[in-house]
Each structure stands twice: as C-alpha cells, then as structure tokens.
C-alpha cells in the first residue's frame, strides 16, 4: 500500500524539463487554499496568465461569493477558445470484470453483480449502434482485469473499429508506456485515467485490494500515455472522496506539470461525482452542484485550453445550465453496462445515470441554447501513426 509521497517518472519528455511530478502532501495544500482573502480573488480574475497560487485563490472559500464572476470569466474564455460547440461522445463498456476492490465502484471485485466481457463480435455490434446514432468518437471502457481484457484484445478491437470512427479513446487499466505505444499505433489516440483522489490517506482507505492500491503507478500513468504519443490524456478526481478544493489544486499542479513536460499532448479533465452504485458506498464528503460548477470554472480560468467533460452522471437540468459556461464535451445516451446498448435490460452497470435523455434530446437542448452539438470534430487522417513520438520531439 502506497503511503509515501508518490512521484511521476517518465523516460521521454521535453528536454530541459522537470524529472518528476511530485504530488504535494495533500494536507500541505490546505493553507494555500484556505488562507485567501476576497481582494485576492478580484485581483486574480483580472489576470491573463495564472499560476498555481492563483488557482488556489480561485478555489478558496473566499471565492465562493464571486461565483457569478467566475462563471462569466469561464464562459468568456470558453467561447473565445472553443466557440459555441459541444463535442458529444459515448462510452462503450466492454467488460465489468475488475481485479481491484474500490469501495465506491459497482464493478469492485467484492460486489456480486452479473459479470461479462464482450466478444469481438458483441463489441462491434455495440459500436455499430453508436455509429448509427451518429457518434464519431467513442470511449472504450472496462474494469481493470487484465486477465479478462488485455492489450491484445484492445489492439484487435481497434483494428475492427478504426474505419468506423474518427477517434477511439480508452478508459481501462493503467498500462506501461510500451503498451500505450502499441495501442496508439493500433489507432487509439486518447487515454482517460482518473486519479480518483490525490489525498494519499483517502486513496489508501478506499482502494482495498488489487494493483490500484499502488498510488504512485496510477499517478504516473498520464505521463506514460503522453510519452507513448497519445494525442490526448484525460485526468480527473472522483468528487466525494476528499476536499474538492484541494483536489482541484492538486489536479491543477498535475496538469501544469504535464503541460510543461508534454506540451503537444491535449489535456482534458472530467468531474465525476459519486453516483449510487452496487456496494452502497456513501460519499466521504459532500460536493454540491454549486461546488462542482465552482471547480470547473476555476480550472477553465486556470487553463483555457483544457477540454472539460461533464458526463451523464449529472442530471439534465444541471448539464443544460452549464452549457456555454465552461464544459466542452458531454457524453450522451450513455449506458454503463457491457452490452447495454443492444440489450437495454443488461445488468451489471457501473453506476446509475443522471441524464437519461437520448442523443437527439441532448442535441435539441444544446441547439435551443445556441450551441452546435458535434459528434465528430477530428479525423485520424490527420494523425501520423507511423513513428510519431510527440513527447520526445
Ligand atoms: S473504479 Fe475502476 S478499478 Fe476500481 S473497481 Fe471500479 S472499475 Fe475497478
């Protein structure tokens, strides 16, 4: 079990950059966030380039009273950088087997749920449903059970799906750099891996068994994916485990390190809030919709190039209210059980969905708010799969 301060090491990085990302002692972040004054918030909102200290100010309780100003600044930066578009994607759950025991997750190895790994043909059938719904981007998701679903499986599936989608992303078990490189050459261009929490004490408390207990290995995963040439890497903290303000600052430090070491890799952040799931885990800390919006606005103002994702974990009312204020990517029409698109009665979901609208319903709401839903905005044709090593260039 990891208890010491974890570090990131990477074999390939931009020359002259830091050797390691060190996750600062979580408790040491507290005074940076909690000892701020309202006047500092007003000053940061006028700045064009923010430091991590500025992010701490934006996340502070002193910034709570400035939420309308944070929303306005976040909306302005988002419109300037991304326009009035919202990219839509859908997760394709391949397997709900998992060798880890995470207390908060329905797929946890200790939970008695119906388990399944899709065959190639079943996965292709699910992908075709999503393609027929218009998706050009899909996220291939699985629990973390390499004995059930390994890199060979993903390489073969990518080969079968590549022609149908503009881009393929994965959210599976953390892999080694060479494995990510193999997947990149197979056509998978982005990796999502959420740290869950940057608080080492909470991390040890909620991750009870399996490889995920190694916090340092997980913390180094985004760097390994970027070093392997992935076009985009997605980070996030599971909201409801530790203080969201401190998680936000730790995330900002991690993002900042990745920006400086892998400047060619696009970065995204997701904001998963704990949802009801098998196992009945109760959040360790409350994170309201207001808190979630605050965190999202602060990260947008900190880094205007970030892709910001709000998934169907959140309810339609909240997601509609956030359109134009910061998020750039929404999932839509999602199902979190393997095989669930073709067989809606499938059991074994990871968590309950908050926004149950169809893809057409989400698109309609976006258009009513003056936004364009985009189901494909990039093509793999632009990607040089042969020999690209952006991190080392
Ligand atoms: S959070 Fe991920 S690793 Fe943990 S039990 Fe769920 S699927 Fe497995």
């Amino acid at each position: 079990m990891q208890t010491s301060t974890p570090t990131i090491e990477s074999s390939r990085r931009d020359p002259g950059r830091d050797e390691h990302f060190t996750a600062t002692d979580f408790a040491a972040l507290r005074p940076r966030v909690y000892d701020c004054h309202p006047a500092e918030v007003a000053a940061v909102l006028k700045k064009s380039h923010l430091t991590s200290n500025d992010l701490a100010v934006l996340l502070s309780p002193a910034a709570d009273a400035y939420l309308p100003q944070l929303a306005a600044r976040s909306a302005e930066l988002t419109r300037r950088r991304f326009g009035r578009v919202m990219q839509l994607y859908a997760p394709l759950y391949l397997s709900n087997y998992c060798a880890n025991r995470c207390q908060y997750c329905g797929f946890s190895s200790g939970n008695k749920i119906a388990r399944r790994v899709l065959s190639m043909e079943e996965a292709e059938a699910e992908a075709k449903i999503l393609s027929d719904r218009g998706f050009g981007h899909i996220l291939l998701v699985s629990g973390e059970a390499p004995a059930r679903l390994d890199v060979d499986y993903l390489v073969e599936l990518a080969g079968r799906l590549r022609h149908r989608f503009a881009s393929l992303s994965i959210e599976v078990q953390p892999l080694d750099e060479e494995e990510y490189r193999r997947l990149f050459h197979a056509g998978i261009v982005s990796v999502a891996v959420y740290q869950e929490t940057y608080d080492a004490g909470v991390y040890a408390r909620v991750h009870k068994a399996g490889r995920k207990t190694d916090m340092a290995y997980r913390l180094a995963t985004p760097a390994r994916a970027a070093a392997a040439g992935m076009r985009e890497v997605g980070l996030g903290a599971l909201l409801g485990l530790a203080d969201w303000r401190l998680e936000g600052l730790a995330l900002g430090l991690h993002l900042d390190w990745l920006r400086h070491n892998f400047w060619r890799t696009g970065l995204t952040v997701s904001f998963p809030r704990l949802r009801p799931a098998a196992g009945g885990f109760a959040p360790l800390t409350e994170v309201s919709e207001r808190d979630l919006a605050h965190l999202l606005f602060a990260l947008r103002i900190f880094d205007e190039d970030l892709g910001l994702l709000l998934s169907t974990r959140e309810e339609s009312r909240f997601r509609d209210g956030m359109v134009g204020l910061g998020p750039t990517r929404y999932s839509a029409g999602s199902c979190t059980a393997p095989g669930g698109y073709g067989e809606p009665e499938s059991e074994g979901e990871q968590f309950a969905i908050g926004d149950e609208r169809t893809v057409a319903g989400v698109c309609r709401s976006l258009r009513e708010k003056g936004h364009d839903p985009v189901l494909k905005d990039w093509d793999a044709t632009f990607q040089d799969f042969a020999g690209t090593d952006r991190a080392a260039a």
Side-chain angles (χ1 to χ4, degrees), residues 98 100-102 104-105 107-109 142-144 196 212 350:
C98 192
N100 295 319
R101 196 142 53 84
C102 309
Y104 48 79
C105 178
F107 290 176
S108 179
S109 62
S142 77
E144 301 186 9
E196 318 297 14
K212 198 168 177 178
Q350 187 179 31

Side-chain angles (χ1 to χ4, degrees), residues 226-300:
M230 287 291 169
R231 177 176 170 263
E232 187 178 272
V233 175
L235 278 66
L238 184 58
L239 302 175
L241 295 180
D243 186 322
W244 65 268
R245 299 178 199 270
L246 305 188
E247 295 282 24
L249 180 54
L251 253 175
L253 293 169
H254 199 171
L255 290 164
D256 207 33
W257 186 90
L258 288 165
R259 276 257 183 269
H260 283 92
N261 285 277
F262 302 100
W263 61 273
R264 297 181 191 210
T265 306
L267 297 173
T268 65
V269 173
S270 283
F271 300 87
R273 276 198 308 163
L274 272 167
R275 294 284 305 164
F281 180 77
L284 302 179
T285 176
E286 196 65 36
V287 181
S288 67
E289 287 180 351
R290 193 180 200 279
D291 298 334
L292 169 53
H294 186 155
L295 173 59
L296 190 149
F297 298 152
L299 284 171
R300 161 62 67 234

Side-chain angles (χ1 to χ4, degrees), residues 9-70:
E9 292 184 50
S10 171
S11 59
R12 293 170 186 266
R13 60 181 59 77
D14 296 331
R17 295 298 183 182
D18 304 338
E19 290 265 313
H20 308 286
F21 169 76
T22 303
T24 316
D25 174 10
F26 202 70
L29 300 178
R30 178 165 285 277
R32 292 179 65 181
V33 169
Y34 280 87
D35 294 348
C36 300
H37 302 288
E40 294 176 83
V41 182
V44 168
L45 282 169
K46 291 185 187 141
K47 293 180 72 171
S48 51
H49 296 291
L50 273 64
T51 65
S52 63
N53 281 336
D54 296 325
L55 175 62
V57 170
L58 293 182
L59 291 166
S60 71
D64 289 353
Y66 286 81
L67 193 63
Q69 289 92 330
L70 263 68

Side-chain angles (χ1 to χ4, degrees), residues 92-388:
L92 196 173
Y93 276 73
L94 301 169
S95 166
N96 56 3
Y97 281 99
C98 192
N100 295 319
R101 196 142 53 84
C102 309
Q103 284 191 313
Y104 48 79
C105 178
F107 290 176
S108 179
S109 62
N111 291 338
K112 296 201 183 326
I113 60 168
R115 306 269 179 183
R116 175 180 186 187
V117 55
L118 300 186
S119 68
M120 285 294 142
E121 291 68 31
E122 289 170 333
E124 276 189 284
E126 289 279 284
K128 181 171 184 316
I129 292 170
L130 294 175
S131 172
D132 290 345
R133 291 180 186 177
F135 285 107
H137 307 274
I138 55 169
L139 174 66
L140 305 173
V141 185
S142 77
E144 301 186 9
R148 302 276 183 176
L149 191 152
D150 58 11
V151 173
D152 289 341
Y153 177 107
L154 293 168
V155 167
E156 183 177 348
L157 185 58
R160 291 178 180 226
L161 300 184
R162 237 172 109 166
H163 68 283
R164 204 186 278 283
F165 295 96
S167 76
L168 300 173
S169 309
I170 53 168
E171 184 183 335
V172 301
Q173 62 270 23
L175 300 169
D176 294 338
E177 186 177 320
E178 274 311 313
E179 293 174 316
Y180 282 129
R181 191 166 286 111
R182 234 188 114 198
L183 290 176
F184 180 74
H185 289 289
I188 289 170
V189 296
S190 93
V191 171
V193 58
Y194 306 139
Q195 188 57 36
E196 318 297 14
T197 177
Y198 288 84
D199 181 328
V202 173
Y203 191 97
R205 180 175 157 196
V206 297
H207 298 113
K208 296 293 192 189
R211 189 163 193 194
K212 198 168 177 178
T213 54
D214 185 346
M215 182 176 179
Y217 184 73
R218 194 168 191 89
L219 192 61
T221 305
R224 290 196 304 275
M230 287 291 169
R231 177 176 170 263
E232 187 178 272
V233 175
L235 278 66
L238 184 58
L239 302 175
L241 295 180
D243 186 322
W244 65 268
R245 299 178 199 270
L246 305 188
E247 295 282 24
L249 180 54
L251 253 175
L253 293 169
H254 199 171
L255 290 164
D256 207 33
W257 186 90
L258 288 165
R259 276 257 183 269
H260 283 92
N261 285 277
F262 302 100
W263 61 273
R264 297 181 191 210
T265 306
L267 297 173
T268 65
V269 173
S270 283
F271 300 87
R273 276 198 308 163
L274 272 167
R275 294 284 305 164
F281 180 77
L284 302 179
T285 176
E286 196 65 36
V287 181
S288 67
E289 287 180 351
R290 193 180 200 279
D291 298 334
L292 169 53
H294 186 155
L295 173 59
L296 190 149
F297 298 152
L299 284 171
R300 161 62 67 234
I301 299 167
F302 176 60
D303 184 341
E304 61 188 72
D305 290 327
L306 274 182
L308 297 177
L309 283 65
L310 265 190
S311 77
T312 51
R313 281 176 182 258
E314 299 300 331
E315 293 177 12
S316 56
R317 169 191 46 75
F318 180 67
R319 295 213 305 166
D320 280 353
M322 290 295 284
V323 172
L325 297 182
T328 55
R329 209 173 292 179
Y330 277 4
S331 53
S334 302
C335 174
T336 70
Y341 293 114
E343 306 159 23
E345 68 287 354
S346 290
E347 295 178 2
E349 65 176 9
Q350 187 179 31
F351 55 83
I353 294 294
D355 182 347
E356 296 189 335
R357 290 175 296 180
T358 61
V359 180
V362 173
C363 289
R364 196 162 43 246
S365 293
L366 288 168
R367 289 196 188 97
E368 283 169 6
K369 292 183 161 295
H371 273 61
D372 287 329
V374 174
L375 282 81
K376 173 185 174 183
D377 77 341
W378 180 82
D379 198 285
T381 307
F382 303 129
Q383 181 85 32
D384 172 18
F385 288 109
T388 301

